[in-house]
Amino acid sequence: MASPKRYRSILLFGPPGSGKGTQGKILGSVPGFFHLSVGDVFRSIDIGSQAGQLIYQYTSNGQLVPDELTVQIWKNTLDAYVALSTYKPREDLLVLDGIPRNLAQTELVKDHIDILQVINLSCDDEEDMIRRMRRRAIRENRADDANEEVIRNRFEVFRNISKPVLECYPEEIISTVEAKGSPAEVLRKILTAVIPIQNKHFQTVRELVG
Ligand code: ADP
């Protein structure tokens, strides 16, 4: 059976510090899900390389990396995981973390992915998210989490540039999940939304295989 043309995906969406990475990693460890974070991919690129230096100029200021470069790196990484069979598009649901992050990216990725469900991690308490990010800065040695001004800038980018992405998807596929609470509590709510999607996906795969 051939791989689907558009990868069936769950989009983890939410402001910085809302737990996309934490929840994505947990979900990605469950059979049938493959998690890819664009932020993690960027941080894994050698900072001494030309691409690494360019990316760092943006990420260290809390700005978005240019769209074409972002989508190209994301797609190349995804293709590499497919080639290695680490990600098996026929079987696995792709857990998107950090992309699309603006309207232009929504257009650029739409031929590659079929978004079945959006998990909208919402949190009104910006100060709580900032506290989480400060802890993350120490734990993960992240330059973009260390500076108050950069953090505020990332929230600004989220509010003005990323949030409109939500309007590109039908309301009925958006599950809003309160991001505050323990990782286990948030995970329980995410699983409630995604388990029926995964069951339906397995059903489709079984029907195609016959
Ligand atoms: P967070 O969601 O907590 O801000 P991420 O690890 O997802 O953290 O992203 C870190 C940084 O990487 C972003 O602030 C941005 O500079 C860059 N980045 C991540 N995803 C994208 C994207 N889709 N487009 C452009 N830049 C991105």
Side-chain angles (χ1 to χ4, degrees), residues 13 103 106 162-171 174:
F13 189 84
L103 295 178
T106 308
S162 301
K163 225 171 166 195
V165 165
L166 268 189
E167 281 153 39
C168 299
Y169 302 105
E171 248 175 65
I174 301 176

mmCIF file with all atom_site columns, all heavy atoms in Angstrom, residues 13 103 106 162-171 174:
data_model
loop_
_atom_site.group_PDB
_atom_site.id
_atom_site.type_symbol
_atom_site.label_atom_id
_atom_site.label_alt_id
_atom_site.label_comp_id
_atom_site.label_asym_id
_atom_site.label_entity_id
_atom_site.label_seq_id
_atom_site.pdbx_PDB_ins_code
_atom_site.Cartn_x
_atom_site.Cartn_y
_atom_site.Cartn_z
_atom_site.occupancy
_atom_site.B_iso_or_equiv
_atom_site.pdbx_formal_charge
_atom_site.auth_seq_id
_atom_site.auth_comp_id
_atom_site.auth_asym_id
_atom_site.auth_atom_id
_atom_site.pdbx_PDB_model_num
ATOM 1   N N   . PHE A 1 13  ? -1.435  23.211 18.882 1.00 0.00 ? 13  PHE A N   1
ATOM 2   C CA  . PHE A 1 13  ? -1.391  24.652 18.666 1.00 0.00 ? 13  PHE A CA  1
ATOM 3   C C   . PHE A 1 13  ? -1.464  25.362 20.013 1.00 0.00 ? 13  PHE A C   1
ATOM 4   O O   . PHE A 1 13  ? -2.201  24.927 20.906 1.00 0.00 ? 13  PHE A O   1
ATOM 5   C CB  . PHE A 1 13  ? -2.593  25.049 17.787 1.00 0.00 ? 13  PHE A CB  1
ATOM 6   C CG  . PHE A 1 13  ? -2.550  26.463 17.318 1.00 0.00 ? 13  PHE A CG  1
ATOM 7   C CD1 . PHE A 1 13  ? -1.822  26.810 16.196 1.00 0.00 ? 13  PHE A CD1 1
ATOM 8   C CD2 . PHE A 1 13  ? -3.233  27.461 18.010 1.00 0.00 ? 13  PHE A CD2 1
ATOM 9   C CE1 . PHE A 1 13  ? -1.768  28.120 15.758 1.00 0.00 ? 13  PHE A CE1 1
ATOM 10  C CE2 . PHE A 1 13  ? -3.179  28.779 17.580 1.00 0.00 ? 13  PHE A CE2 1
ATOM 11  C CZ  . PHE A 1 13  ? -2.450  29.103 16.451 1.00 0.00 ? 13  PHE A CZ  1
ATOM 12  N N   . LEU A 1 103 ? -0.174  32.519 8.494  1.00 0.00 ? 103 LEU A N   1
ATOM 13  C CA  . LEU A 1 103 ? -1.078  32.195 7.379  1.00 0.00 ? 103 LEU A CA  1
ATOM 14  C C   . LEU A 1 103 ? -0.309  31.725 6.143  1.00 0.00 ? 103 LEU A C   1
ATOM 15  O O   . LEU A 1 103 ? -0.754  30.813 5.443  1.00 0.00 ? 103 LEU A O   1
ATOM 16  C CB  . LEU A 1 103 ? -1.954  33.415 7.046  1.00 0.00 ? 103 LEU A CB  1
ATOM 17  C CG  . LEU A 1 103 ? -2.921  33.819 8.177  1.00 0.00 ? 103 LEU A CG  1
ATOM 18  C CD1 . LEU A 1 103 ? -3.705  35.059 7.793  1.00 0.00 ? 103 LEU A CD1 1
ATOM 19  C CD2 . LEU A 1 103 ? -3.878  32.683 8.539  1.00 0.00 ? 103 LEU A CD2 1
ATOM 20  N N   . THR A 1 106 ? 0.499   28.134 6.512  1.00 0.00 ? 106 THR A N   1
ATOM 21  C CA  . THR A 1 106 ? -0.706  27.311 6.370  1.00 0.00 ? 106 THR A CA  1
ATOM 22  C C   . THR A 1 106 ? -0.884  26.940 4.904  1.00 0.00 ? 106 THR A C   1
ATOM 23  O O   . THR A 1 106 ? -1.188  25.799 4.565  1.00 0.00 ? 106 THR A O   1
ATOM 24  C CB  . THR A 1 106 ? -1.937  28.093 6.892  1.00 0.00 ? 106 THR A CB  1
ATOM 25  O OG1 . THR A 1 106 ? -1.643  28.554 8.197  1.00 0.00 ? 106 THR A OG1 1
ATOM 26  C CG2 . THR A 1 106 ? -3.176  27.231 6.937  1.00 0.00 ? 106 THR A CG2 1
ATOM 27  N N   . SER A 1 162 ? 0.416   34.234 14.785 1.00 0.00 ? 162 SER A N   1
ATOM 28  C CA  . SER A 1 162 ? 0.100   32.796 14.801 1.00 0.00 ? 162 SER A CA  1
ATOM 29  C C   . SER A 1 162 ? -1.377  32.510 15.052 1.00 0.00 ? 162 SER A C   1
ATOM 30  O O   . SER A 1 162 ? -1.950  31.600 14.453 1.00 0.00 ? 162 SER A O   1
ATOM 31  C CB  . SER A 1 162 ? 0.949   32.071 15.855 1.00 0.00 ? 162 SER A CB  1
ATOM 32  O OG  . SER A 1 162 ? 2.320   32.246 15.588 1.00 0.00 ? 162 SER A OG  1
ATOM 33  N N   . LYS A 1 163 ? -1.989  33.267 15.961 1.00 0.00 ? 163 LYS A N   1
ATOM 34  C CA  . LYS A 1 163 ? -3.365  32.958 16.357 1.00 0.00 ? 163 LYS A CA  1
ATOM 35  C C   . LYS A 1 163 ? -4.356  32.885 15.184 1.00 0.00 ? 163 LYS A C   1
ATOM 36  O O   . LYS A 1 163 ? -5.225  32.005 15.160 1.00 0.00 ? 163 LYS A O   1
ATOM 37  C CB  . LYS A 1 163 ? -3.845  33.967 17.413 1.00 0.00 ? 163 LYS A CB  1
ATOM 38  C CG  . LYS A 1 163 ? -4.550  33.247 18.535 1.00 0.00 ? 163 LYS A CG  1
ATOM 39  C CD  . LYS A 1 163 ? -4.869  34.099 19.681 1.00 0.00 ? 163 LYS A CD  1
ATOM 40  C CE  . LYS A 1 163 ? -5.872  33.336 20.555 1.00 0.00 ? 163 LYS A CE  1
ATOM 41  N NZ  . LYS A 1 163 ? -6.507  34.202 21.501 1.00 0.00 ? 163 LYS A NZ  1
ATOM 42  N N   . PRO A 1 164 ? -4.220  33.763 14.162 1.00 0.00 ? 164 PRO A N   1
ATOM 43  C CA  . PRO A 1 164 ? -5.164  33.694 13.033 1.00 0.00 ? 164 PRO A CA  1
ATOM 44  C C   . PRO A 1 164 ? -5.158  32.349 12.294 1.00 0.00 ? 164 PRO A C   1
ATOM 45  O O   . PRO A 1 164 ? -6.112  32.048 11.570 1.00 0.00 ? 164 PRO A O   1
ATOM 46  C CB  . PRO A 1 164 ? -4.686  34.824 12.103 1.00 0.00 ? 164 PRO A CB  1
ATOM 47  C CG  . PRO A 1 164 ? -3.970  35.780 13.003 1.00 0.00 ? 164 PRO A CG  1
ATOM 48  C CD  . PRO A 1 164 ? -3.329  34.948 14.064 1.00 0.00 ? 164 PRO A CD  1
ATOM 49  N N   . VAL A 1 165 ? -4.100  31.534 12.496 1.00 0.00 ? 165 VAL A N   1
ATOM 50  C CA  . VAL A 1 165 ? -4.042  30.212 11.843 1.00 0.00 ? 165 VAL A CA  1
ATOM 51  C C   . VAL A 1 165 ? -5.263  29.369 12.227 1.00 0.00 ? 165 VAL A C   1
ATOM 52  O O   . VAL A 1 165 ? -5.799  28.625 11.410 1.00 0.00 ? 165 VAL A O   1
ATOM 53  C CB  . VAL A 1 165 ? -2.718  29.481 12.240 1.00 0.00 ? 165 VAL A CB  1
ATOM 54  C CG1 . VAL A 1 165 ? -2.769  27.993 11.904 1.00 0.00 ? 165 VAL A CG1 1
ATOM 55  C CG2 . VAL A 1 165 ? -1.529  30.144 11.566 1.00 0.00 ? 165 VAL A CG2 1
ATOM 56  N N   . LEU A 1 166 ? -5.719  29.532 13.470 1.00 0.00 ? 166 LEU A N   1
ATOM 57  C CA  . LEU A 1 166 ? -6.862  28.744 13.970 1.00 0.00 ? 166 LEU A CA  1
ATOM 58  C C   . LEU A 1 166 ? -8.092  28.912 13.085 1.00 0.00 ? 166 LEU A C   1
ATOM 59  O O   . LEU A 1 166 ? -8.869  27.980 12.896 1.00 0.00 ? 166 LEU A O   1
ATOM 60  C CB  . LEU A 1 166 ? -7.225  29.182 15.383 1.00 0.00 ? 166 LEU A CB  1
ATOM 61  C CG  . LEU A 1 166 ? -6.607  28.456 16.562 1.00 0.00 ? 166 LEU A CG  1
ATOM 62  C CD1 . LEU A 1 166 ? -7.276  28.909 17.842 1.00 0.00 ? 166 LEU A CD1 1
ATOM 63  C CD2 . LEU A 1 166 ? -6.700  26.939 16.421 1.00 0.00 ? 166 LEU A CD2 1
ATOM 64  N N   . GLU A 1 167 ? -8.240  30.139 12.542 1.00 0.00 ? 167 GLU A N   1
ATOM 65  C CA  . GLU A 1 167 ? -9.428  30.421 11.723 1.00 0.00 ? 167 GLU A CA  1
ATOM 66  C C   . GLU A 1 167 ? -9.413  29.716 10.370 1.00 0.00 ? 167 GLU A C   1
ATOM 67  O O   . GLU A 1 167 ? -10.421 29.697 9.660  1.00 0.00 ? 167 GLU A O   1
ATOM 68  C CB  . GLU A 1 167 ? -9.570  31.932 11.523 1.00 0.00 ? 167 GLU A CB  1
ATOM 69  C CG  . GLU A 1 167 ? -10.171 32.571 12.757 1.00 0.00 ? 167 GLU A CG  1
ATOM 70  C CD  . GLU A 1 167 ? -9.767  34.022 12.912 1.00 0.00 ? 167 GLU A CD  1
ATOM 71  O OE1 . GLU A 1 167 ? -9.711  34.724 11.887 1.00 0.00 ? 167 GLU A OE1 1
ATOM 72  O OE2 . GLU A 1 167 ? -9.498  34.445 14.062 1.00 0.00 ? 167 GLU A OE2 1
ATOM 73  N N   . CYS A 1 168 ? -8.274  29.113 10.022 1.00 0.00 ? 168 CYS A N   1
ATOM 74  C CA  . CYS A 1 168 ? -8.182  28.394 8.738  1.00 0.00 ? 168 CYS A CA  1
ATOM 75  C C   . CYS A 1 168 ? -8.783  27.000 8.820  1.00 0.00 ? 168 CYS A C   1
ATOM 76  O O   . CYS A 1 168 ? -8.911  26.325 7.800  1.00 0.00 ? 168 CYS A O   1
ATOM 77  C CB  . CYS A 1 168 ? -6.726  28.264 8.302  1.00 0.00 ? 168 CYS A CB  1
ATOM 78  S SG  . CYS A 1 168 ? -5.937  29.834 8.052  1.00 0.00 ? 168 CYS A SG  1
ATOM 79  N N   . TYR A 1 169 ? -9.116  26.546 10.030 1.00 0.00 ? 169 TYR A N   1
ATOM 80  C CA  . TYR A 1 169 ? -9.626  25.181 10.179 1.00 0.00 ? 169 TYR A CA  1
ATOM 81  C C   . TYR A 1 169 ? -11.064 25.197 10.681 1.00 0.00 ? 169 TYR A C   1
ATOM 82  O O   . TYR A 1 169 ? -11.429 26.072 11.475 1.00 0.00 ? 169 TYR A O   1
ATOM 83  C CB  . TYR A 1 169 ? -8.704  24.384 11.128 1.00 0.00 ? 169 TYR A CB  1
ATOM 84  C CG  . TYR A 1 169 ? -7.289  24.361 10.606 1.00 0.00 ? 169 TYR A CG  1
ATOM 85  C CD1 . TYR A 1 169 ? -6.288  25.144 11.179 1.00 0.00 ? 169 TYR A CD1 1
ATOM 86  C CD2 . TYR A 1 169 ? -6.977  23.609 9.479  1.00 0.00 ? 169 TYR A CD2 1
ATOM 87  C CE1 . TYR A 1 169 ? -4.996  25.162 10.656 1.00 0.00 ? 169 TYR A CE1 1
ATOM 88  C CE2 . TYR A 1 169 ? -5.698  23.623 8.941  1.00 0.00 ? 169 TYR A CE2 1
ATOM 89  C CZ  . TYR A 1 169 ? -4.711  24.396 9.537  1.00 0.00 ? 169 TYR A CZ  1
ATOM 90  O OH  . TYR A 1 169 ? -3.446  24.425 8.999  1.00 0.00 ? 169 TYR A OH  1
ATOM 91  N N   . PRO A 1 170 ? -11.869 24.222 10.226 1.00 0.00 ? 170 PRO A N   1
ATOM 92  C CA  . PRO A 1 170 ? -13.269 24.226 10.654 1.00 0.00 ? 170 PRO A CA  1
ATOM 93  C C   . PRO A 1 170 ? -13.387 24.038 12.164 1.00 0.00 ? 170 PRO A C   1
ATOM 94  O O   . PRO A 1 170 ? -12.620 23.259 12.760 1.00 0.00 ? 170 PRO A O   1
ATOM 95  C CB  . PRO A 1 170 ? -13.871 23.027 9.911  1.00 0.00 ? 170 PRO A CB  1
ATOM 96  C CG  . PRO A 1 170 ? -12.778 22.343 9.187  1.00 0.00 ? 170 PRO A CG  1
ATOM 97  C CD  . PRO A 1 170 ? -11.536 23.135 9.311  1.00 0.00 ? 170 PRO A CD  1
ATOM 98  N N   . GLU A 1 171 ? -14.353 24.745 12.723 1.00 0.00 ? 171 GLU A N   1
ATOM 99  C CA  . GLU A 1 171 ? -14.537 24.719 14.186 1.00 0.00 ? 171 GLU A CA  1
ATOM 100 C C   . GLU A 1 171 ? -14.688 23.313 14.744 1.00 0.00 ? 171 GLU A C   1
ATOM 101 O O   . GLU A 1 171 ? -14.219 23.000 15.830 1.00 0.00 ? 171 GLU A O   1
ATOM 102 C CB  . GLU A 1 171 ? -15.798 25.505 14.528 1.00 0.00 ? 171 GLU A CB  1
ATOM 103 C CG  . GLU A 1 171 ? -15.524 26.788 15.275 1.00 0.00 ? 171 GLU A CG  1
ATOM 104 C CD  . GLU A 1 171 ? -16.795 27.566 15.475 1.00 0.00 ? 171 GLU A CD  1
ATOM 105 O OE1 . GLU A 1 171 ? -17.655 27.056 16.188 1.00 0.00 ? 171 GLU A OE1 1
ATOM 106 O OE2 . GLU A 1 171 ? -16.911 28.676 14.897 1.00 0.00 ? 171 GLU A OE2 1
ATOM 107 N N   . ILE A 1 174 ? -11.612 21.551 15.957 1.00 0.00 ? 174 ILE A N   1
ATOM 108 C CA  . ILE A 1 174 ? -10.763 22.207 16.957 1.00 0.00 ? 174 ILE A CA  1
ATOM 109 C C   . ILE A 1 174 ? -11.207 21.819 18.371 1.00 0.00 ? 174 ILE A C   1
ATOM 110 O O   . ILE A 1 174 ? -12.365 22.014 18.735 1.00 0.00 ? 174 ILE A O   1
ATOM 111 C CB  . ILE A 1 174 ? -10.799 23.743 16.794 1.00 0.00 ? 174 ILE A CB  1
ATOM 112 C CG1 . ILE A 1 174 ? -10.330 24.138 15.392 1.00 0.00 ? 174 ILE A CG1 1
ATOM 113 C CG2 . ILE A 1 174 ? -9.941  24.427 17.870 1.00 0.00 ? 174 ILE A CG2 1
ATOM 114 C CD1 . ILE A 1 174 ? -10.414 25.620 15.084 1.00 0.00 ? 174 ILE A CD1 1
#
